[in-house]
Amino acid sequence: MGLLLNILTLPYAPVRAVTAIAEVLLEQAEQELYSPQGVRRQLEALDEAVARGELSEDDRHTAEQEILDRVATRSTG
């Protein structure tokens, strides 16, 4: 039965492959977004943008709060 099922569902193999790739990409994105190292890199990037004059202190504070809120929401939700 397994061989017959594989043959019958063969046309859906590309869909399964795309789904598997999307799941890996989602996992990587979430890891970058929520891992302590990823959060630290995001906060450091804000500091660097302020140092280069690309971001005001108020904008930095707002962006920093958004990052911390996102992490807090993830950990409680």
Side-chain angles (χ1 to χ4, degrees), residues 14-59:
V15 173
R16 288 193 302 264
V18 169
T19 301
I21 291 170
E23 288 173 356
V24 169
L25 291 175
L26 177 62
E27 183 179 318
Q28 290 292 324
E30 286 180 342
Q31 183 178 359
E32 175 66 24
L33 203 57
Y34 298 111
S35 73
Q37 298 86 2
V39 171
R40 184 176 23 136
R41 279 192 295 272
Q42 293 170 34
L43 295 173
E44 288 172 354
L46 291 176
D47 291 339
E48 292 170 6
V50 170
R52 289 189 305 266
E54 298 173 354
L55 199 62
S56 72
E57 281 294 330
D58 289 337
D59 291 339

Side-chain angles (χ1 to χ4, degrees), residues 1-12 16:
M1 183 70 177
L3 179 61
L4 181 60
L5 183 61
N6 285 341
I7 291 171
L8 291 175
T9 60
L10 191 59
Y12 297 106
R16 288 193 302 264

